Amino acid sequence: MSGITIEQLRERVRGEIITPDDDRYEEARHVYNAMIDRRPSLILRAADAGDVMAGVDYARENGLDLAVRGGNHSVPGFGTCDDGIVVDLGGMRGVRVDAAKRTARAEGGATWGDFNHATHAFGLATTGGIISTTGIGGLTLGGGIGHTARGFGLSIDNLVSADVVTADGHLLVASDTENEDLFWALRGGGGNFGVVTSFDYALHPLAQVYGGPMFFELEDAETVLRFYRDFIASAPEQLGAFPGFQVAPPLPFIPEDRHGDTFVIVVAAWAGPLDEGEKALKPIHDAAPVVAEFVGPMPYPALNSAFDGLVPPGLQHYWKASFAGELTDGAIAAHLEYGPKIPTMNSALHIYPIDGAVHRVASDATAFAYRDASFATVIAGMWPSPADNEANTAWVRDYYAALARESEMGAYVNFLSDDDQGRIRTNYGGNYDRLVSLKNKYDPGNLFHLNQNISPKG
Ligand SMILES: Cc1cc2nc3c(=O)[nH]c(=O)nc-3n(C[C@H](O)[C@H](O)[C@H](O)COP(=O)(O)OP(=O)(O)OC[C@H]3O[C@@H](n4cnc5c(N)ncnc54)[C@H](O)[C@@H]3O)c2cc1C
């Protein structure tokens, strides 16, 4: 190797360097999706932006693969690699809130749990993931769908600026006024353009939401989905509500004799005045008899961690996804066929509404192109035992194939698996060529290629 030696790297960084001979290696090399089993030659647990710059230099100078890890939730396992280096931001999780300006600056390895905890203390919030252990890093860079998307927009629509270590090892500020082209590309372009060491978000006054999950009988699934399609199209934007299918977990609010049964669900989050929440959710309640529910006023971070128990680390994951302009009769028929076959309690079929504020941003205003899609559907296969891999991946594939006829060609990049790289161009639509040209400007050597990759070659 002609580049930086490991000893030189050790001298440059304050964080931990973990190599295969280290006791911590086994634990450090694993990612959230247990189907991924890779062995990097070095894991750098960065302490600050300087460490990230050193890690990027080390990878580039030595011609090594570079995996970047934030919250570690990538289903394709982009946060690790064989033989190369992992820059792990998991130790960089600080969040500073400026309550007067209604902004928060969060380090690149923070999770949504870290973020929501910090902002909730000030009665402020923004759109983030529905599971608290997901990283703000990967989720934001792909777009960011959450309960408040209809009202506040995607996570990227609330991004004010980012500190980015680019492939040359320099740190740039990207915002509407500095490196505007990089800022455009970061908002939806995933990890293709650099390592974001901190994100600045705009916040909104929101301490409590009125919401939670409602469970309906499978025999009412068609009624509920048809109702939802009509209802959400004209529901106030303060209402986030998504339907799905769920195997009932053993929770006290679900009758014990129904644990393990499959239901059609609606998970609601009313972010308007709390005393109007019951009324806002009444139409959903009235759509069909509710078998079980856990609905009421609750802190926003509580709703955003309510389902954490269903998705512990160490599950096998295989996901597919699509965007849809409409929930067509054909799509509903596909859901009625495959939703009830959801194979495990951990798995999820969710149909997220992405209209309202998301639609008010032009398709070419950020890299996230699908601004006219109204729904982002995810078929998230998650299961404990590798022995069940075949059955679970088959459910995801068959469901996706049935829905594909009723969907757009593209899908949310953060919900794709590693066999979906062929859909990248479609996902970025008319923004793809600009992304390729910016990839050539900021990362011509494709150092950041372990992601849903935008190749500099186009
Ligand atoms: C249980 C679960 C729940 C989810 N829920 C939602 C949801 O509600 N809404 C939603 O939109 N998505 C959701 N997702 C999808 C999620 O957005 C992606 O999995 C995302 O990649 C996770 O980001 P991470 O930082 O946790 O993952 P990581 O595996 O750490 O990162 C994935 C990739 O993102 C890039 N990346 C991460 N951090 C940085 C950074 N700081 N700088 C540069 N690049 C970075 C890198 O390319 C990295 O390889 C969920 C995923 C899971 C597994």
Side-chain angles (χ1 to χ4, degrees), residues 31-32 67-80 89 107-110 112 128-131 133-147 155 164 186 190-192 194-199 311 317 319 352 382 412-415 448 450-452:
V31 291
Y32 183 77
V68 177
R69 190 185 296 174
N72 206 8
H73 269 199
S74 162
V75 167
F78 291 138
T80 189
L89 304 173
E107 287 186 291
W112 286 104
I130 67 165
I131 300 292
T133 50
T134 307
I136 65 164
L139 186 140
T140 300
L141 294 170
I145 297 171
H147 291 293
S155 304
V164 194
L186 287 178
N192 275 287
V195 187
V196 178
T197 54
S198 77
F199 294 87
V311 288
H317 288 251
W319 295 25
Y352 300 112
M382 303 183 263
Y412 178 38
V413 286
N414 277 346
F415 290 160
F448 302 109
L450 297 175
N451 44 44
Q452 298 295 359

Side-chain angles (χ1 to χ4, degrees), residues 253-327:
F253 73 90
I254 300 170
E256 215 172 308
D257 62 340
R258 304 304 306 273
H259 294 172
D261 288 355
T262 300
F263 293 88
V264 62
I265 58 166
V266 177
V267 180
W270 168 252
L274 263 196
D275 57 359
E276 294 173 17
E278 195 176 338
K279 191 166 148 230
L281 268 59
K282 187 168 184 311
I284 309 176
H285 268 109
D286 292 347
V290 175
V291 182
E293 64 178 311
F294 192 73
V295 169
M298 62 179 86
Y300 178 70
L303 184 64
N304 280 299
S305 52
F307 308 104
D308 288 7
L310 293 172
V311 288
L315 297 174
Q316 330 292 310
H317 288 251
Y318 183 72
W319 295 25
K320 286 227 170 269
S322 49
F323 284 127
E326 283 176 62
L327 199 47

Side-chain angles (χ1 to χ4, degrees), residues 15 36 45 57 60 128 151 164 171-172 175 177 183 198 205 227 239 258 310-311 323 332 337 345 380 414 447 453:
I36 311 289
R45 284 184 170 156
D57 286 345
R60 189 193 58 249
V164 194
L171 190 142
L172 300 179
S175 71
T177 52
F183 189 50
S198 77
F227 154 79
L239 184 66
R258 304 304 306 273
L310 293 172
V311 288
F323 284 127
I332 290 177
E337 183 176 356
M345 202 171 282
N414 277 346
L447 182 65
N453 195 231

Side-chain angles (χ1 to χ4, degrees), residues 387-441:
D388 300 326
N389 286 3
E390 211 171 304
N392 284 273
T393 53
W395 173 73
V396 175
R397 287 204 175 102
D398 293 349
Y399 204 147
Y400 168 70
L403 268 184
R405 292 186 289 273
E406 305 290 333
S407 308
E408 302 288 334
M409 293 289 286
Y412 178 38
V413 286
N414 277 346
F415 290 160
L416 297 180
S417 283
D418 51 4
D419 54 8
D420 280 313
Q421 288 264 338
R423 297 170 74 191
I424 299 301
R425 179 185 283 272
T426 313
N427 285 335
Y428 291 112
N431 292 338
Y432 187 74
D433 290 345
R434 185 171 179 205
L435 282 163
V436 171
S437 112
L438 290 171
K439 185 76 175 171
N440 278 288
K441 176 173 175 186

